[in-house]
Amino acid sequence: MAANSSDIDCVFSLVPCSYSITGNLILIAFYGVLLGIAAKLISDGAELLLDLGLPAAIIGGIVLPLLGAVPDSAMIIASGIGGSKEDAEKEISVGMGTLAGSTIMLLTVPWVAAMFLARVDIVKGKGVNGQCGRLKPSSFITQGVTVSHDVTIGALIMLITVLPYFVVQGADWHWGPTSHPDTSPAPAYTKWSALATFILCFIFFILYMAQQLIFSVASQRKDNARKEKRLERRVLRQFYLSMSAKVLQKTTNNLTQAQDDTDAQVTVEHQDKVQKKYFKAWRAGVGTKQENEPLIAAEAPTEKEESPDSSKGVGPAKKEEGNDEPKWKLALKSVALLVSGVAAVTIFSDPMVGALTSLVDPTHKNATDTSNDRGQYIPIPVFYLSFVITPLCSNASELVSSLIFAAKKTQTASSLTFSQLYGAATMNNTLCLGIFAALVYFRDLSWQFSAEVTVIILVEVAVGLMAVLSGFGYKHTYVLLLGIPVGLLYFLGLFLTAILENYAHWK
């Protein structure tokens, strides 16, 4: 049941819906937050799989990219699978807006932000890790980012996976992107070209997963980044344990013989509280939960001469092994996060599509009734709303994590950032486009997206060629100046879509 169907009142809907501008805006914000939280749960659950000791090539190369595409895929499925064919024809624009907005947004906005955060000084054509001078006009040439060779390969793969767009869109270009109105039946070439696109996307998806599993270095880099983060946590914890143990030992040596056992116990308990206090402060600083780590009071001092168990052959390494959370707990936590995230995406994707469509639909129930703010709508195509809004909901966690890595200003971290962006675009070109083409084929929908697909192709080709040429021609270094044209591509995409639809009258 579609929440925004014109013949069903919102009172009887299973989910909240509205016929007013204010109500739909509130619902879009509400569902957007829920979808953003769901995407974060999926991301966190997927990353926990790396701590289970599973092969990094499988987790980083297959599982993480696949789960990262779940929110966008769910939005596309929800936009075309429910309701009547007429409803699907109307709502499928949300799916195309999600596909186009997610792809173009990931290749422009976070790309530019990562360039600015990760920029370092360029010396002899290569970026110097951690060295970044003051930003000035000449910095657009003298500063930039150097990435690894496999990032350039990832950009090349992204360019190759653009080819499926040319199948269905090439047929539309050949027979004319303005040849039939929206109300006429879909021509036969649309259905069969959509089927060919679906098959080609499926083949490219399998090949990409195989490449990630067998050849990709990016998966190993992700695993190394996680190990580095865990090592930092352990070093900091050992530091606080060592310092607390020294304070405790010094205090104990200064106690007089006249103190009884009760006074000594009070002192020890006070020191334990001090240890826990500083340990909580450290845990808050690194953004993890204190209750997931063993209590400080149960930890032994790390220095050999202060460890009561050293005579028994129990070394610091064995003690540290006991600090790790059991793998079965990590597995349960990962499964819980993944199931919760996927369930939330599945539940709230369809209402989000309904709210977006209802906000701009002039034909919904009581559309002409403007009393009490009912029946109002915004007279713009739903594509533009979904182009801007849904990618922010489905890719928020990926965007934030990419920028966090970029701020480290190292080649490894920068390579991980741009590798994630190119990989996400590749997943959109294979999995998400394949799902969209399958909906067009199996539901016999018309193809009204010539302008949108043309813009996707232009943006991906522009960014991909720039990355490949910079990789093989300039020692895999992007100068800061490249951020200007790449950033303008986002706005150019919206502007060009409007020009092709309103003035060239493309579908």
Side-chain angles (χ1 to χ4, degrees):
M1 179 184 297
N4 68 327
S5 180
S6 60
D7 58 344
I8 297 179
D9 198 289
C10 281
V11 174
F12 301 102
S13 176
L14 296 177
V15 293
C17 64
S18 175
Y19 292 132
S20 69
I21 293 178
T22 304
N24 280 311
L25 288 176
I26 293 174
L27 288 177
I28 290 172
F30 173 69
Y31 292 134
V33 170
L34 292 178
L35 289 174
I37 294 174
K40 184 66 169 60
L41 291 176
I42 293 174
S43 176
D44 291 345
E47 289 189 2
L48 275 179
L49 294 175
L50 290 173
D51 292 336
L52 296 178
L54 300 176
I58 296 178
I59 302 302
I62 296 180
V63 178
L64 293 183
L66 189 60
L67 291 174
V70 166
D72 286 337
S73 301
M75 289 293 296
I76 294 173
I77 293 173
S79 70
I81 200 171
S84 63
K85 181 179 177 180
E86 291 73 18
D87 290 335
E89 290 278 10
K90 184 188 306 180
E91 295 183 348
I92 195 67
S93 293
V94 176
M96 176 52 69
T98 300
L99 177 60
S102 175
T103 304
I104 295 175
M105 189 271 288
L106 285 171
L107 292 178
T108 54
V109 178
W111 199 100
V112 175
M115 275 288 294
F116 181 80
L117 292 175
R119 74 185 193 281
V120 294
D121 294 336
I122 298 176
V123 178
K124 296 182 179 180
K126 302 278 284 187
V128 181
N129 287 349
Q131 179 179 319
C132 181
R134 186 172 57 89
L135 186 64
K136 50 188 178 181
S138 60
S139 298
F140 288 97
I141 301 297
T142 60
Q143 291 184 345
V145 173
T146 297
V147 296
S148 301
H149 178 267
D150 63 285
V151 177
T152 304
I153 299 300
L156 183 61
I157 292 174
M158 181 190 72
L159 279 177
I160 295 174
T161 56
V162 173
L163 292 177
Y165 283 105
F166 286 96
V167 178
V168 61
Q169 190 53 50
D172 210 46
W173 283 333
H174 177 73
W175 276 282
T178 62
S179 59
H180 63 277
D182 296 351
T183 55
S184 64
Y189 74 81
T190 297
K191 182 173 182 178
W192 298 112
S193 59
L195 176 61
T197 300
F198 166 65
I199 294 174
L200 187 58
C201 285
F202 179 76
I203 294 173
F204 276 10
F205 174 74
I206 297 299
L207 292 176
Y208 179 64
M209 291 292 98
Q211 186 272 338
Q212 287 289 92
L213 177 63
I214 300 173
F215 302 107
S216 180
V217 183
S219 58
Q220 186 61 44
R221 185 186 296 117
K222 292 177 182 179
D223 185 51
N224 291 339
R226 293 280 297 177
K227 289 180 178 178
E228 180 183 350
K229 188 183 297 184
R230 294 179 66 191
L231 180 61
E232 290 175 355
R233 288 204 307 262
R234 291 180 177 180
V235 170
L236 285 173
R237 182 169 59 192
Q238 290 290 76
F239 171 78
Y240 279 107
L241 285 173
S242 177
M243 295 301 296
S244 299
K246 290 180 179 180
V247 172
L248 178 60
Q249 183 66 34
K250 184 177 180 180
T251 304
T252 304
N253 292 337
N254 291 335
L255 292 176
T256 61
Q257 294 296 329
Q259 290 178 310
D260 55 17
D261 293 339
T262 303
D263 292 335
Q265 182 63 29
V266 171
T267 302
V268 171
E269 291 177 355
H270 173 71
Q271 293 298 329
D272 286 344
K273 291 179 180 179
V274 171
Q275 296 176 51
K276 293 179 181 179
K277 172 184 175 182
Y278 285 102
F279 185 66
K280 289 181 179 179
W282 166 71
R283 295 300 296 169
V286 297
T288 51
K289 296 181 180 179
Q290 190 268 345
E291 59 266 23
N292 290 337
E293 299 288 344
L295 292 177
I296 294 299
E299 299 283 353
T302 58
E303 296 186 4
K304 182 177 180 180
E305 63 272 16
E306 296 176 354
S307 175
D309 296 322
S310 58
S311 60
K312 300 179 182 179
V314 181
K318 293 185 178 181
K319 286 285 183 178
E320 185 60 36
E321 289 179 0
N323 296 332
D324 288 340
E325 194 170 2
K327 288 187 176 181
W328 66 268
K329 285 188 177 181
L330 290 175
L332 287 179
K333 186 185 298 184
S334 177
V335 170
L337 290 173
L338 291 174
V339 171
S340 301
V342 173
V345 166
T346 304
I347 293 172
F348 296 112
S349 290
D350 186 60
M352 181 68 163
V353 172
L356 287 168
T357 307
S358 182
L359 181 62
V360 299
D361 184 12
T363 64
H364 61 62
K365 188 178 180 65
N366 297 325
T368 59
D369 180 12
T370 58
S371 62
N372 299 322
D373 196 33
R374 286 180 57 82
Q376 299 181 15
Y377 68 96
I378 299 177
I380 62 173
V382 68
F383 166 80
Y384 296 101
L385 277 180
S386 55
F387 183 96
V388 175
I389 295 175
T390 54
L392 294 178
C393 303
S394 58
N395 298 287
S397 61
E398 197 167 35
L399 173 62
V400 173
S401 64
S402 296
L403 297 183
I404 290 175
F405 276 113
K408 293 185 177 182
K409 296 184 181 297
T410 64
Q411 181 176 342
T412 300
S414 299
S415 298
L416 177 59
T417 297
F418 289 96
S419 178
Q420 285 181 338
L421 298 180
Y422 298 145
T426 301
M427 292 298 294
N428 285 351
N429 295 344
T430 54
L431 179 62
C432 295
L433 177 60
I435 292 174
F436 190 89
L439 289 173
V440 173
Y441 172 75
F442 289 108
R443 301 220 60 184
D444 197 19
L445 303 178
S446 61
W447 186 261
Q448 305 290 336
F449 312 107
S450 295
E452 294 87 341
V453 171
T454 300
V455 170
I456 294 175
I457 293 173
L458 289 177
V459 171
E460 287 205 68
V461 170
V463 176
L465 284 178
M466 183 215 63
V468 171
L469 292 176
S470 297
F472 293 115
Y474 296 94
K475 300 180 180 179
H476 308 289
T477 299
Y478 308 153
V479 295
L480 192 58
L481 183 63
L482 293 176
I484 296 178
V486 171
L488 292 176
L489 283 175
Y490 182 81
F491 304 99
L492 178 63
L494 283 172
F495 178 73
L496 185 57
T497 301
I499 292 296
L500 292 176
E501 288 183 342
N502 299 321
Y503 294 96
H505 303 292
W506 283 23
K507 298 190 296 290

